[in-house]
Amino acid sequence: MMVKMENVAKSFGTLEVLKNINFQVTKGEVVCIIGPSGSGKSTILRCLNHLERITAGRVYIEGELVDERVGGRDQLKISHKRVSEICTELGMVFQRFNLFPHMTVLENIIEAPVTVKKLAKEEAVKYALELLKKVGLEDKRDEYPSRLSGGQQQRVAIARALAMKPKIMLFDEPTSALDPELVGEVLEVMKDLAREGMTMIVVTHEMGFAKEVANRVLFMDRGEILEEDTPHNIFSNPRNERTKSFLQKVL
């Protein structure tokens, strides 16, 4: 089991953002999370990689308990150092590309492997160039982010996440900040990753991508997972009335 959430809740003050979330992802699976804005989709990803701490429940990454809160009390037994190590197994791609503007494309990609994983610079550069080829940007290695289109910047962001050799990739609406004609180039890179067997959790508004690539689709609303099924069943025959009304508006 690569990822598992058990009875997870998350509140910001009095605002309950996640309510009793239970789901798991196995190795090589692509799970897409869909639903209206503000339904808690992005918060799930942020709780998985410890950008947010949960209010209740348990979070497991690769079978290790990385967050646990019971009765409002933190029950986590492993060290923060170990949690950080486990979290390096998760690559994260955000809506906004978050590239370092003062660094070239190549420097952006090698920064984390060299500083966090202590990889030799020569080795990091070699792997970075392989990744740039993979995302179709080997000719942009010395460019600065400001000289790239949004689609190119997002592909660099994917390469940067892959540079840490993660076992799981988390995508938080990776195409929502892009002009429509640039969406396809980013989705194509993601499809390639899925074909290669990368475990992926994708929060997305791209229903075509979810239909084509996902093994399972979760529909969320108001902090709850209301429906979970194959793409065929979710899109052709949703059981939940809220899922039906959402899909009627977006399809």
Side-chain angles (χ1 to χ4, degrees):
M1 196 60 58
M2 299 299 278
V3 166
K4 187 178 182 184
M5 280 190 156
E6 273 181 6
N7 308 319
V8 166
K10 172 66 183 173
S11 297
F12 294 103
T14 56
L15 180 65
E16 208 176 1
V17 184
L18 297 178
K19 305 169 191 171
N20 199 37
I21 297 292
N22 288 281
F23 83 104
Q24 51 194 42
V25 180
T26 56
K27 188 175 170 61
E29 239 191 330
V30 178
V31 174
C32 284
I33 307 177
I34 65 170
S37 295
S39 56
K41 305 183 301 294
S42 298
T43 305
I44 281 188
L45 299 188
R46 295 176 68 83
C47 288
L48 284 174
N49 69 5
H50 247 247
L51 288 174
E52 300 286 354
R53 296 293 305 275
I54 61 176
T55 310
R58 295 182 181 87
V59 177
Y60 298 86
I61 304 293
E62 287 197 278
E64 272 200 76
L65 188 59
V66 296
D67 210 353
E68 181 178 26
R69 192 170 283 263
V70 180
R73 296 173 70 89
D74 191 344
Q75 302 290 327
L76 196 57
K77 303 291 190 291
I78 63 172
S79 67
H80 290 299
K81 182 173 182 285
R82 180 62 188 140
V83 170
S84 297
E85 284 170 7
I86 295 166
C87 286
T88 64
E89 303 286 3
L90 295 111
M92 179 95 174
V93 178
F94 299 88
Q95 290 180 36
R96 298 280 165 191
F97 327 117
N98 293 348
L99 298 175
F100 297 116
H102 61 290
M103 292 183 178
T104 65
V105 164
L106 186 64
E107 288 166 344
N108 263 283
I109 295 171
I110 68 170
E111 175 68 14
V114 170
T115 56
V116 178
K117 286 203 163 178
K118 308 300 180 197
L119 200 64
K121 187 176 177 184
E122 194 178 299
E123 203 178 324
V125 167
K126 186 181 172 200
Y127 189 50
L129 294 176
E130 285 174 29
L131 291 172
L132 281 173
K133 190 171 183 183
K134 185 188 196 79
V135 300
L137 291 172
E138 59 266 53
D139 59 331
K140 302 292 184 187
R141 55 174 285 176
D142 298 320
E143 293 285 6
Y144 286 89
S146 61
R147 295 176 58 91
L148 303 178
S149 71
Q152 289 171 332
Q153 288 188 60
Q154 193 61 297
R155 284 186 280 154
V156 173
I158 293 172
R160 182 177 64 175
L162 291 172
M164 292 291 281
K165 299 190 176 174
K167 294 181 182 173
I168 304 158
M169 284 289 285
L170 309 177
F171 291 91
D172 187 7
E173 296 185 22
T175 58
S176 66
L178 301 178
D179 292 333
E181 69 268 24
L182 302 176
V183 167
E185 63 191 54
V186 173
L187 293 181
E188 210 47 56
V189 171
M190 293 168 65
K191 287 175 190 175
D192 285 343
L193 285 177
R195 285 190 281 266
E196 290 165 13
M198 174 64 80
T199 306
M200 294 162 62
I201 304 174
V202 184
V203 169
T204 186
H205 291 299
E206 298 293 335
M207 300 303 148
F209 175 83
K211 272 185 194 173
E212 183 184 342
V213 180
N215 301 102
R216 272 185 301 133
V217 176
L218 311 184
F219 172 74
M220 283 189 74
D221 191 26
R222 297 183 183 179
E224 295 179 275
I225 296 171
L226 297 184
E227 194 162 350
E228 176 179 351
D229 213 328
T230 63
H232 175 77
N233 288 346
I234 288 274
F235 292 110
S236 304
N237 190 26
R239 299 185 308 275
N240 188 287
E241 286 304 318
R242 185 67 188 91
T243 315
K244 281 180 193 171
S245 67
F246 172 78
L247 290 173
Q248 279 164 2
K249 288 173 188 160
V250 298
L251 290 179

